[in-house]
Amino acid sequence: MNEIVWIAIWSISFFIAKAEIKCQFEDDGGMMFHMCNATGVSDNILRRGLVSDKRKTFHIILNQCNIVSIEQEAFYRLPALAILDLAENKIESLPIGVFDRITSLSRLNLSYNLLTELPLGIFNHNTDLSVLDLEGNRLHTLKPGLFDSLWRLYQLDLSHNLFTGKEIVPELFERKRDISILTLSGNDMTEANFLSIMNNLNYLFLDGCSLKVVPKLATAANMKQLRQLSLASNEIKSIDDATTFSKLIDVMKLNLSRNQIVFIHKDAFKNLRYLEEIDLRYNKLTTLPVDMFQNIPKLYELRLSYNLLTDIPLNAFFGTELKRLSFDNNNITHLHENFLMKIEDAGLMLRIMHFGNNPWQCACLRELLREVKEMEVLYDNDSYDGEHPVCVTTKDFYCRRDAAAHEQFIRMYNENIRVR
Ligand SMILES: *[C@@H]1O[C@H](CO)[C@@H](O)[C@H](O)[C@H]1NC(C)=O
Ligand SMILES: *[C@@H]1O[C@H](CO)[C@@H](O)[C@H](O)[C@H]1NC(C)=O
Ligand SMILES: *[C@@H]1O[C@H](CO)[C@@H](O)[C@H](O)[C@H]1NC(C)=O
Ligand SMILES: *[C@@H]1O[C@H](CO)[C@@H](O)[C@H](O)[C@H]1NC(C)=O
Ligand SMILES: *[C@@H]1O[C@H](CO)[C@@H](O)[C@H](O)[C@H]1NC(C)=O
């Protein structure tokens, strides 16, 4: 009796352990594309035979296949393999030599696995690798030399790991100073200094890196080729120094959203001749110095939503090419009379303007709505459906532009609309 029960259980567990991955092969002009999916929910070991030993395979997707480990020979004899996607598995470690036979590899995605380290030499034969994605693992350090053989590497994603800036040593990039796109978001980069040796960074992402100030490493002279700098979701309170960004002479896009910025030096963006977009949403700005954005010749899009602004100065965008402006969710009760017309008179042609969810005086909002319609400016029209209260008014229905009006209407709005 006991024996029979034991056999039954044994055969069930055998069945579970045999869970599989199924691959679909597609011919793409003589080259093979493999799309693989797990057929069950249990863990898989990637062995030689599933995707290996195929002369014409150039692209393999093994995304979400419950892979926990990979045999050293799993990618044998794949001379044409260029793209390998191993993202969203449960790979904890990689055996030395596992990528040695795929010398044509140009893109490798290992994101969202459980890797805690990468053995030195793991990429020694992948000299064509240009894009490496290691996002969302548990890496806390990388050994100098790891990237030395990756002559073509230009895009590296290290975001959302357990790195700390002070543990990454510059020697790691000694032979890879020319990486173009580097993503470090979601790691503590407060004491980082390893970027000082980079000389060709074009895109740098430092979102959610626990930064309390704009870091010098992202704005130093060796960053002069930077086109995009993202510092969103940090703890930056103030940008006091007029020269903070002054060395980023080629920068086109700056993202400072989701910080706690209360102050920006009025000259902080001056002389950024290629700057097109600034994202300042979700900060604590209360005033805009009238000349902060003036004469940024290429400025095209400015996002100021979710701040505490009470005014948008009339001449704030003089000398720019502003087309898109958002200042919804601020503390604005009114704008200057004929705001849009005066802006156009100054040579600007706004295309899109978002201004909803401010404590508008109804009379002032009505003037603005008339202007946006007349001038065919697209706006956040979804709040004006006649069903949601959008503004407050006293008995006297005219747009008051005196200082005392602010306080009064903000209070009315907070009591009657914002609380809902
Ligand atoms: C694998 O899953 C993807 C997305 O879930 C689906 O598009 C594809 O058809 C599946 N392939 C196979 C071979 O089942
Ligand atoms: C890697 O895979 C993840 C998850 O599927 C995806 O979001 C990411 O864009 C991929 N990375 C690259 C560089 O293609
Ligand atoms: C700025 O970064 C935030 C957070 O990563 C993102 O949601 C937003 O789209 C970015 N802004 C721009 C203009 O790219
Ligand atoms: C701005 O709005 C907030 C509510 O979002 C309010 O608490 C605050 O008093 C207002 N500040 C000013 C200066 O009007
Ligand atoms: C809002 O504007 C869009 C784009 O101009 C338009 O297609 C849509 O009908 C408008 N919606 C309302 C409620 O007016």
Side-chain angles (χ1 to χ4, degrees):
M1 189 62 202
N2 270 350
E3 203 173 329
I4 296 166
V5 172
W6 186 84
I7 288 168
I9 292 170
W10 182 85
S11 66
I12 287 168
S13 62
F14 177 76
F15 179 75
I16 290 169
K18 214 176 146 280
E20 275 189 28
I21 302 174
K22 284 256 176 307
C23 296
Q24 197 176 295
F25 304 91
E26 250 176 62
D27 194 328
D28 187 348
M31 296 301 258
M32 297 299 264
F33 170 72
H34 296 206
M35 166 77 138
C36 306
N37 293 39
T39 52
V41 291
S42 36
D43 295 344
N44 293 310
I45 297 170
L46 189 65
R47 299 183 201 280
R48 183 168 184 175
L50 184 72
V51 294
S52 66
D53 303 282
K54 293 183 179 69
R55 207 165 40 85
K56 289 183 170 174
T57 296
F58 85 105
H59 189 173
I60 297 175
I61 298 184
L62 281 161
N63 191 296
Q64 290 185 15
C65 284
N66 301 326
I67 299 168
V68 288
S69 68
I70 303 180
E71 276 189 1
Q72 199 228 348
E73 301 184 350
F75 301 115
Y76 265 33
R77 296 191 53 224
L78 292 166
L81 186 65
I83 308 173
L84 177 57
D85 182 355
L86 287 163
E88 300 178 81
N89 283 292
K90 298 187 255 177
I91 305 164
E92 286 179 23
S93 64
L94 295 166
I96 302 244
V98 67
F99 302 131
D100 282 6
R101 304 294 185 95
I102 37 181
T103 51
S104 302
L105 195 64
S106 86
R107 298 176 72 97
L108 175 60
N109 197 336
L110 282 163
S111 69
Y112 294 97
N113 276 286
L114 303 171
L115 293 168
T116 52
E117 62 172 346
L118 292 174
L120 205 54
I122 190 83
F123 301 126
N124 272 5
H125 294 82
N126 310 108
T127 49
D128 278 351
L129 194 66
S130 57
V131 179
L132 175 59
D133 191 342
L134 293 165
E135 178 176 5
N137 279 282
R138 296 180 180 169
L139 300 165
H140 58 91
T141 165
L142 294 171
K143 298 184 193 76
L146 185 70
F147 300 138
D148 285 5
S149 53
L150 305 179
W151 297 332
R152 290 178 194 252
L153 188 68
Y154 78 88
Q155 180 176 345
L156 176 63
D157 193 332
L158 298 175
S159 57
H160 300 103
N161 274 281
L162 304 171
F163 296 115
T164 57
K166 60 172 180 258
E167 279 179 286
I168 302 184
V169 293
E171 290 73 31
L172 179 64
F173 296 105
E174 181 65 42
R175 300 266 193 91
K176 280 315 310 167
R177 295 165 184 248
D178 57 347
I179 287 176
S180 163
I181 308 174
L182 181 61
T183 311
L184 295 162
S185 302
N187 295 292
D188 182 344
M189 286 293 137
T190 42
E191 287 172 63
N193 71 1
F194 59 93
L195 292 179
S196 57
I197 82 171
M198 307 308 259
N199 61 23
N200 192 37
L201 265 186
N202 299 132
Y203 299 84
L204 177 59
F205 296 91
L206 290 165
D207 297 356
C209 288
S210 307
L211 302 167
K212 295 195 162 52
V213 293
V214 174
K216 291 234 162 41
L217 78 138
T219 53
N222 67 316
M223 292 289 151
K224 65 177 188 302
Q225 324 234 25
L226 219 51
R227 276 178 240 156
Q228 185 171 338
L229 173 61
S230 192
L231 295 166
S233 307
N234 281 293
E235 297 152 34
I236 301 166
K237 290 199 171 65
S238 178
I239 299 176
D240 299 321
D241 184 351
T243 65
T244 302
F245 301 114
S246 62
K247 299 193 181 81
L248 307 183
I249 50 172
D250 281 349
V251 78
M252 296 164 79
K253 198 165 164 179
L254 274 179
N255 195 336
L256 292 161
S257 69
R258 294 180 195 274
N259 278 279
Q260 294 153 24
I261 303 172
V262 292
F263 177 81
I264 300 178
H265 192 286
K266 70 178 178 58
D267 295 331
F269 306 116
K270 283 277 155 349
N271 304 316
L272 300 179
R273 58 193 171 156
Y274 298 121
L275 186 58
E276 292 179 356
E277 278 185 59
I278 310 176
D279 191 343
L280 283 164
R281 288 176 300 162
Y282 298 94
N283 278 293
K284 296 183 174 161
L285 296 169
T286 52
T287 55
L288 282 190
V290 65
D291 48 352
M292 178 138 75
F293 302 109
Q294 280 177 357
N295 300 314
I296 304 175
K298 300 274 186 216
L299 186 64
Y300 171 91
E301 171 153 8
L302 178 60
R303 302 183 193 216
L304 296 165
S305 316
Y306 295 91
N307 276 281
L308 298 166
L309 299 171
T310 52
D311 188 30
I312 305 291
L314 201 49
N315 293 319
F317 314 113
F318 181 80
T320 72
E321 289 188 344
L322 201 69
K323 295 265 185 294
R324 299 158 176 256
L325 173 64
S326 65
F327 55 88
D328 55 280
N329 293 281
N330 274 278
N331 265 357
I332 290 167
T333 66
H334 67 267
L335 293 178
H336 294 258
E337 206 170 355
N338 303 324
F339 181 80
L340 276 178
M341 204 167 76
K342 289 192 177 141
I343 277 193
E344 280 204 7
D345 286 348
L348 284 168
M349 285 278 282
L350 275 188
R351 285 272 146 265
I352 301 183
M353 188 162 94
H354 286 188
F355 49 79
N357 290 324
N358 275 291
W360 286 111
Q361 297 177 47
C362 290
C364 311
L365 181 61
R366 190 177 59 172
E367 284 180 15
L368 183 62
L369 286 171
R370 183 173 42 75
E371 271 202 296
V372 288
K373 284 176 192 159
E374 264 174 30
M375 305 180 85
E376 295 180 346
V377 173
L378 296 177
Y379 64 107
D380 44 349
N381 58 4
D382 45 347
S383 4
Y384 311 106
D385 56 4
E387 285 178 28
H388 304 94
V390 289
C391 59
V392 285
T393 184
T394 56
K395 278 205 306 297
D396 313 316
F397 198 86
Y398 71 95
C399 183
R400 276 178 58 192
R401 291 190 164 87
D402 56 298
H406 268 308
E407 298 259 329
Q408 185 187 343
F409 287 100
I410 288 175
R411 190 165 14 86
M412 279 173 68
Y413 186 87
N414 286 347
E415 284 166 8
N416 294 291
I417 297 182
R418 196 136 30 194
V419 291
R420 292 180 187 209

